[in-house]
Every structure is written in structure tokens, then in C-alpha cells.
Amino acid sequence: MSSVAVAAVFTLCCFLCFRLTASQPKFTKEPPITVSASLGSSAIFSWDFSFGTSVKFERIIWGETDTNRNHIRNKYITIFKDRREAVNSELDHSLKSRLSWAGNISKHGCQVEFILKNVTKLDETATYGCVAYVDGSYYRSGPIKLAVLIPPTITDRSNKTIDVEEGVNVTLHCDAIGDPTPGVLWVKDDKTLQNGTSTSTLQIPRIELRDAGTYVCTAANQAGSAWYSIQVRVVRYKPYINETATTDPLIKSWINHTTTLTCAADANPSANFTWLKHGQPVLAGVRFMHGMSTLMLIPKTMGDFGLYSCKAENEKGSMVYNITVERLYKPYINKTATTDPLIKSWINHTTTLTCAVDANPSANFTWLKHDQPVLAGVRFMHGMSTLMLIPKTMGDFGLYSCKAENEKGSMVYNITVERLYSPGPPVINKFTADVQSVNVSWDAPQDDTDGGIFDYKITILEENYRMIQQYHGIKQTFFNSQNLKQNRSYIVFLQARNIVGYGESANGTVRTLKEEESTTTESSADVTLRHTTYFPSEEESRTTESSAAVTLRHTTYFLSEGSSTKRKSKKETFTYLLLLWIILPAFAVPIIFFLSWKASKKITRCRGLKVTDFDGDCEQGNAFSLSKMEKLKERRISKHDETLMEDSEEHHNHGHCMEDESVIDNGNPVTDHQQIPGSIVTCDQTYEKPDSPGSKQDSIDLTKDDAKPFESFQMALK
């Protein structure tokens, strides 16, 4: 069977059960198991009965039931379907007179209320029920109990009015009876003091004047309530301040102003008054009246202000009341919390000016600049005011005034905001350069008076203004930059920093040395202090490092090219050049001997030879003229001509003209007798002229004997 079919069957069964149940006669409403009623009032028993599908309703009976079962053993009232009623005639007349009913009977059911009037405690001994007859069957309801309640009654209580002295213990009584037992509640001035079901007394230990008043006792249970009031009076008591007629604890006065202090007290017996200041009695200006005293003050000095005490006392005790007389005065500057009269700031720097005053009453503040109110950046606090400045232009610096005023007077406090500047350019003392390093020393800027120099920054750029090195936080006034390239020009920028930031820049151009220059020259670096260039402070827009554009702000400094600083002492220079002094003579002596030998040899040749084409050249001791050398370079030499040339040299005692030998192509000495294009040409007088058309010999190679002196000469020149 599917779930839908099961649900349908279940629903049908429930419907049939409901219909079957609904069609049966039954009681739909019954009284509670116990019906409560106050003594002497009416007890009501209510039933609702449904006839179901039957229409043969006969009667319904209300009466007294037996103890263990709900059978009606003593009928009270019978009601028929036509609303006729029948009261049991056998009942006692006192009972019959207290019975009645009310309700409605219809074709579907009935709603009835059976009433027992003027109930007594005896009515609690019986139980009650109801029986309905329908179509020959009967339906019972019961047994129902009856509870007869007795309202509270106050039986024992304290006197209506009680007079006591302050400091004694007081007990108030309020006893009550009832059924059920009532609870007792104590109230004074709408404030609950004590609440309980059995407590009927109220204790007031060591009563005071404030405890005097009306105390209300209330006893209550389900049947009702009863109350009783007691007036308690404290007739003898110590003094108590009368706040209505007494001066406030804090009053304000000022020099030469008349002030009257009043002290009023309630006391029985009457109190005696004494005025005190710092524990000492005050006599001048004191007056006494019934229940009060006054003190008239005219302050002359600061000592007349402060705390005054009023003491009131009698035989029951005493009390002290304090009054503070506070001085009113115009504002006075509080130097501890106020900004100094002169402060320094700079562009875009946040500066807060504080103006704090002592004043009574509190002062109102106004900030002024050139007698015009300043509103932006102003804040107010208790006893002080602040002004936050962020200077943008020169107009934001200058004199600011803080005006504080109250009802007693006013004061003006001036604060000057002075502008700070970034430092000027440092004063460069020395620039030196080595192969891969640059040394610079300097003095602090001459115009820096704004807090001192914190440190320096050095920026090194190449000639194309490309930055290669930058150093921050330099504390000393000298610096050495390493790892530079040799024989290269660099621009060095030097800036000082103070509290404002980095200022103007001093710069110079320096060129590092070659490695050879470092061994032969002591101060050959080309150093030129060219410009004093301005770099904006860090708060301002900064020129990019790669930019070549600079702005000249100060006088340009120059050093002549011939004047370069000495890098070393004389002792260091001598040590450095000592090796050169040893090497140079070693090379110079052989060269001088060699040149002298060559010169004497040439002179001998020129005297003994008669050469028509080269006389002028030999006499001058020079090589062939440039035009003839070019012609000789174009000629070629054959191998059999070399042999003839060697024979000719033997017979004619080397009869040729030797000029200054040097190899044109690569500068190396000739080591063989091959054809060497472009070699230095020698002339032989036993042959035709070099430019003769029939000549087969273009050039003559050097012999081995002549090559060795040439090599030595060439090495010497190097």
C-alpha cells in the first residue's frame, strides 16, 4: 500500500473518530476541583453540556455528592429541558434560600451556573457535583470541593502616633489574622521596608531624624487585605543642615567683593553655630539668628578665599558643613603649557601653537593675525586652545596673537613664528683625484644659523649627468670616493642638511688620472670648481639626478689649469720617483753612446763619398727626401741583385749613405734578407740612380751587422 493510501486511511479514521466522539453527549466545561469563595460571598459552579446527535435531553441535576463517589446523594436543584426548575423541598430552609441558578438550554446543549450564596465555613464540609440525563443515560461531573476564604483582620498594632528621641531603638507592631494566613508589608514614603508572610513587626535601630514619618502596615491574602498606619516623630535630635536656607557648597567671589555665607540647621534643642577657617574660629562678620548663622566676607587677598566650615551642635550631637569660596579672576598665561613666544618653522612643516591660561570662570579664546581672526586649524579645550599651522608661503610666518577673556577681564599673548631656511652651500677647501678615487674636504656653510648641520650628502655624476654614486649621512667634513674609472671626468655635488632638509649644493668637476700619470706626476688631476648649484630641499620638488639642467644661484669659483693641489709631501714624492731616477740613466747612457757613434760614422762617409744626387742630404745628416723615399718604396729587389750589392759593399767600403733607420710597417728589426716592402731604403753609389729606368735594383736589404745597431736604437726610442 502506498504512503498516500495510508495517509488517506489514517485521515478517514481520525475523521470518523472525531465524528463519533462529537456525536456523543458529554460535559465540555467543568468547574475546577476546588471552588474558592470569601466568607459571606457567593460560590459559583459552572458546567457546559453538549447533547451530541441526540435530541432527547431530559434534565440536569446539581447537588451534594457522597465522599468517595460522584453520585448525587442530596439534590439541590433540578432543571428540565423546558427550563423548568425544581428545588428539593426536603432541604433546610436556610439552605434553600441560598440556592439559585442561571444559564441557557438549547437543542444542542446547555450552559448552567449553580450558585451557593452567603457561604460559611460549614459549606466546606460537603462536595458538589452535577448529573445530566440524555436518552435514558446519565453523565456525571464531580466531586467539586469548596474553599471558604477569610479576609485579613489586624488584631494587634502599635499606637497611632509614637514620639521618640534620636538614637533609640524603635519596634512597630502590626499583627493580622485570616484564612489563609495573610502576609504583612511595611511601607514608608512609597518605599517597601519589609515584606513577609509571617513577620508582623518592624525594627528601627538607632532612629534618626530622617527616619521620622508615616509607616503603613498592610496584611493581605486571597480573600482581601487590611492596612494600618503609624506616625513616628523624632522630637529630640542633633542638628541637620537645612539645604533650602543654606549657601551652596561652592560659591565664587573676587577681590573687594562682599559675599555672605549662610548656615541653617534643624535641631531640637536649638543648635549653637561656630565658623571656622583652617581649623581656626572666625569672629569678624558673624551673626546668629534662630536656627541659622551668617558670615559676611570682603576678600582682600588670596588668603581670604578657600574653605570655610560651619559647625552646629546641641546636646544630641553636632554636624559640620563646608563652603568653598572660589576666586574669580581674569585670564593669566600658563607658561608651562603654552608655546614659547618665539618658535621656528619652515615651509610645509606642521607647527602647533598652544595657548593655555588660568582663569575663573573659564576663558574664551580667539586667535589673531594682523588683527584678523584665524579660524582654520583652531581647537578649544578646557583652559587652553591650539592653532595648527602648515606654512605655505612667507605670509604664513610672523606674529600670531592669542586672546583669552572672561567676565573679569582679558589678556593677549603673542607668538612669533620665524621661518627656517635650508643651509647654504658648503665651502669646499680641497679637491684631489687619483686613478680611481676622488678626495674632497670642506667647511660648513657660512650662512647656516638655523639649528646647525646634521650631516652631508655627496652625489657623483659622470659628464653626461648620469649619477653613479651617492652617499648620505656623512658626519665629517672630508670624504674619499673609491671605485671610479681612470682618466674620466666626474661632477661632485656636496649638500648640507639641517632641520629643514638638504640645502643648496656646491659642486666641482674633477678628472681621475691615468695609471701612467699616477707614477710620474704628483698633482696632474684637472680640478675645476665650476659652479655653486642649487638643489631644492626635500620638501620641494627635486631636480632629477640625470638632468643636465642646473640653476646658478651664487658666485662661480674658478681654479687655473696650471694650479693643482699637491697630493703628497716632498718626501713621498721623492720616494715615488726614486725608481725613475735609477731607470732613466740606465737607458740614457747607451743611447747617448750609440747616437755619438752613428754621428761620427755619418760624418766620415760624407767626407769620403761623392754622390751627385745625395750630397745635400749627406751634408745635412738626414735621410732621403720624402719624394725620393716614396719612389724607392715602389721598387722591387731581385735576389741576384742582393749578391751584387753585397760584393759592392765589400770593395767600396760600404759605400752607401745610411739615414736614420726605422721600420715603417711594424717597427720590428729586420732579421732576414727577404724582400721587405716599405722598408727604409739605402743608396749605393756603385749602381745607377734609384730612379734610373734601366735599373733592376729597387732596394737593398740591411745586413745583419747593420741590423743589430738599429734594433738597439729602436728600443732606446721606445
Side-chain angles (χ1 to χ4, degrees):
M1 182 180 284
S2 64
S3 58
V4 176
V6 172
V9 172
F10 178 76
T11 304
L12 179 60
C13 292
C14 292
F15 177 74
L16 293 176
C17 292
F18 173 76
R19 292 288 296 174
L20 183 60
T21 304
S23 64
Q24 297 295 324
K26 61 179 179 179
F27 284 99
T28 58
K29 177 183 177 183
E30 298 177 273
I33 296 176
T34 301
V35 174
S36 298
S38 297
L39 183 66
S41 65
S42 298
I44 300 174
F45 301 86
S46 299
W47 279 277
D48 290 348
F49 186 77
S50 175
F51 302 153
T53 57
S54 176
V55 295
K56 296 181 179 181
F57 169 70
E58 298 178 9
R59 61 188 181 277
I60 185 169
I61 302 172
W62 169 54
E64 182 181 342
T65 65
D66 54 19
T67 305
N68 298 323
R69 303 174 63 187
N70 58 354
H71 293 91
I72 301 297
R73 71 181 180 123
N74 191 9
K75 297 178 181 179
Y76 284 176
I77 298 176
T78 301
I79 301 173
F80 298 93
K81 64 180 180 179
D82 57 357
R83 293 183 58 86
R84 288 183 302 111
E85 67 177 51
V87 179
N88 187 357
S89 59
E90 296 181 357
L91 295 176
D92 184 77
H93 177 72
S94 62
L95 179 58
K96 287 195 312 181
S97 62
R98 295 190 294 132
L99 301 177
S100 67
W101 78 283
N104 182 36
I105 299 176
S106 66
K107 64 179 181 178
H108 299 295
C110 63
Q111 298 88 32
V112 293
E113 289 182 350
F114 295 101
I115 303 170
L116 179 60
K117 302 176 183 178
N118 195 19
V119 296
T120 65
K121 292 298 287 185
L122 185 61
D123 294 331
E124 286 184 334
T125 60
T127 58
Y128 304 87
C130 182
V131 178
Y133 290 88
V134 178
D135 197 16
S137 299
Y138 58 88
Y139 300 88
R140 297 186 179 95
S141 176
I144 307 299
K145 293 182 180 181
L146 176 62
V148 179
L149 305 179
I150 300 176
T153 301
I154 297 176
T155 59
D156 186 14
R157 57 183 181 268
S158 299
N159 295 332
K160 195 74 174 178
T161 302
I162 300 176
D163 292 335
V164 296
E165 291 190 10
E166 190 175 47
V168 302
N169 297 327
V170 178
T171 301
L172 304 180
H173 298 279
C174 182
D175 297 333
I177 61 173
D179 189 10
T181 302
V184 179
L185 175 68
W186 289 94
V187 177
K188 178 181 182 292
D189 300 330
D190 296 328
K191 181 179 179 181
T192 299
L193 303 178
Q194 185 173 287
N195 188 10
T197 57
S198 60
T199 303
S200 60
T201 60
L202 178 65
Q203 299 289 338
I204 307 175
R206 299 185 63 81
I207 192 169
E208 297 180 357
L209 180 61
R210 63 184 177 181
D211 297 327
T214 301
Y215 291 80
V216 178
C217 164
T218 302
N221 63 6
Q222 292 89 331
S225 63
W227 62 272
Y228 178 74
S229 64
I230 304 172
Q231 182 71 31
V232 178
R233 298 183 301 184
V234 179
V235 294
R236 294 174 64 85
Y237 49 89
K238 69 180 182 179
Y240 287 91
I241 192 67
N242 183 346
E243 295 182 357
T244 304
T246 301
T247 303
D248 292 337
L250 175 64
I251 65 169
K252 297 181 180 181
S253 184
W254 54 94
I255 297 295
N256 293 325
H257 174 69
T258 301
T259 303
T260 300
L261 309 183
T262 302
C263 179
D266 294 330
N268 192 6
S270 298
N272 297 317
F273 294 90
T274 303
W275 287 93
L276 304 170
K277 189 174 191 302
H278 302 304
Q280 300 299 319
V282 179
L283 302 178
V286 176
R287 294 183 62 189
F288 300 99
M289 290 162 282
H290 179 70
M292 65 184 299
S293 178
T294 60
L295 171 61
M296 186 176 67
L297 293 175
I298 304 177
K300 298 296 183 181
T301 64
M302 283 294 295
D304 294 333
F305 299 93
L307 181 66
Y308 288 82
S309 300
C310 168
K311 183 178 181 181
E313 57 184 343
N314 63 6
E315 62 187 51
K316 299 300 294 183
S318 64
M319 59 80 61
V320 176
Y321 181 74
N322 295 321
I323 301 175
T324 299
V325 180
E326 187 176 290
R327 181 191 175 191
L328 292 180
Y329 51 91
K330 70 177 184 179
Y332 291 94
I333 195 68
N334 183 347
K335 295 184 179 180
T336 303
T338 301
T339 303
D340 292 337
L342 176 62
I343 65 169
K344 298 183 179 182
S345 184
W346 54 93
I347 295 295
N348 292 328
H349 174 69
T350 301
T351 302
T352 301
L353 310 183
T354 302
C355 180
V357 299
D358 294 328
N360 196 1
S362 297
N364 298 318
F365 293 89
T366 304
W367 286 91
L368 303 169
K369 189 174 193 299
H370 302 305
D371 296 329
Q372 298 298 320
V374 179
L375 303 178
V378 175
R379 293 185 61 190
F380 301 98
M381 289 157 282
H382 181 70
M384 66 184 301
S385 178
T386 60
L387 172 60
M388 186 176 70
L389 295 176
I390 305 179
K392 299 295 183 181
T393 64
M394 280 296 296
D396 295 332
F397 299 93
L399 180 65
Y400 288 83
S401 299
C402 169
K403 183 178 181 181
E405 57 184 344
N406 63 5
E407 63 187 51
K408 300 304 298 177
S410 64
M411 59 79 61
V412 176
Y413 181 75
N414 296 323
I415 301 174
T416 300
V417 181
E418 185 178 290
R419 181 180 177 183
L420 291 179
Y421 294 87
S422 57
V427 180
I428 298 178
N429 293 333
K430 184 184 294 184
F431 247 138
T432 60
D434 209 330
V435 177
Q436 289 184 316
S437 64
V438 171
N439 300 283
V440 60
S441 64
W442 62 89
D443 291 333
Q446 297 179 351
D447 59 350
D448 181 66
T449 59
D450 297 330
I453 300 301
F454 293 166
D455 51 39
Y456 297 88
K457 178 173 70 174
I458 289 181
T459 304
I460 300 178
L461 289 76
E462 291 184 342
E463 285 184 318
N464 59 359
Y465 284 88
R466 183 177 67 88
M467 187 182 73
I468 59 172
Q469 291 180 3
Q470 190 173 71
Y471 304 92
H472 296 267
I474 301 173
K475 300 294 184 180
Q476 65 274 12
T477 57
F478 58 90
F479 189 75
N480 174 261
S481 176
Q482 303 289 336
N483 302 322
L484 300 177
K485 296 180 180 180
Q486 62 176 328
N487 194 27
R488 185 72 60 90
S489 292
Y490 295 97
I491 304 174
V492 180
F493 290 92
L494 177 62
Q495 290 176 271
R497 183 173 70 93
N498 63 4
I499 191 172
V500 180
Y502 286 104
E504 300 177 14
S505 172
N507 70 71
T509 301
V510 61
R511 187 176 185 86
T512 55
L513 303 177
K514 295 181 182 179
E515 190 171 359
E516 304 85 46
E517 293 175 339
S518 67
T519 59
T520 59
T521 307
E522 187 168 317
S523 301
S524 61
D526 180 18
V527 181
T528 304
L529 294 179
R530 299 194 305 173
H531 304 289
T532 299
T533 306
Y534 172 71
F535 273 84
S537 61
E538 294 186 357
E539 292 79 4
E540 303 174 6
S541 56
R542 185 174 298 176
T543 307
T544 54
E545 293 173 347
S546 60
S547 174
V550 294
T551 304
L552 298 182
R553 290 284 301 272
H554 292 279
T555 306
T556 303
Y557 301 94
F558 292 92
L559 295 178
S560 62
E561 295 182 358
S563 61
S564 60
T565 58
K566 295 182 180 181
R567 294 175 299 131
K568 300 178 182 179
S569 63
K570 293 182 179 181
K571 182 177 180 180
E572 292 175 344
T573 303
F574 180 80
T575 304
Y576 179 72
L577 297 177
L578 181 61
L579 184 61
L580 292 178
W581 290 109
I582 297 174
I583 294 174
L584 287 178
F587 280 93
V589 172
I591 291 174
I592 293 173
F593 279 105
F594 177 75
L595 293 177
S596 300
W597 175 75
K598 291 293 292 181
S600 61
K601 191 173 182 180
K602 286 182 180 180
I603 292 172
T604 304
R605 290 177 184 172
C606 289
R607 289 178 179 178
L609 297 179
K610 295 178 180 180
V611 182
T612 59
D613 292 339
F614 306 109
D615 285 344
D617 295 332
C618 291
E619 289 176 359
Q620 298 174 3
N622 297 327
F624 297 116
S625 64
L626 182 61
S627 61
K628 293 186 178 183
M629 286 179 66
E630 293 296 331
K631 291 180 182 181
L632 290 175
K633 288 179 183 179
E634 296 174 358
R635 298 178 182 177
R636 300 292 183 266
I637 304 173
S638 62
K639 284 202 171 185
H640 69 275
D641 290 336
E642 293 176 5
T643 306
L644 293 176
M645 184 184 68
E646 292 174 357
D647 295 338
S648 175
E649 288 174 348
E650 293 175 358
H651 291 286
H652 295 280
N653 194 20
H654 303 283
H656 62 279
C657 185
M658 288 289 294
E659 301 297 335
D660 297 335
E661 292 90 355
S662 64
V663 180
I664 296 176
D665 287 342
N666 53 18
N668 296 325
V670 178
T671 57
D672 57 16
H673 297 283
Q674 303 296 326
Q675 294 181 0
I676 305 175
S679 61
I680 299 297
V681 180
T682 59
C683 57
D684 194 337
Q685 296 178 356
T686 61
Y687 289 88
E688 298 177 346
K689 295 180 181 179
D691 54 353
S692 175
S695 174
K696 295 181 180 181
Q697 182 177 355
D698 292 334
S699 64
I700 301 174
D701 198 1
L702 299 174
T703 62
K704 294 181 179 180
D705 295 337
D706 291 343
K708 291 180 180 180
F710 179 76
E711 290 176 6
S712 300
F713 177 73
Q714 191 175 21
M715 289 297 295
L717 291 179
K718 287 184 180 182

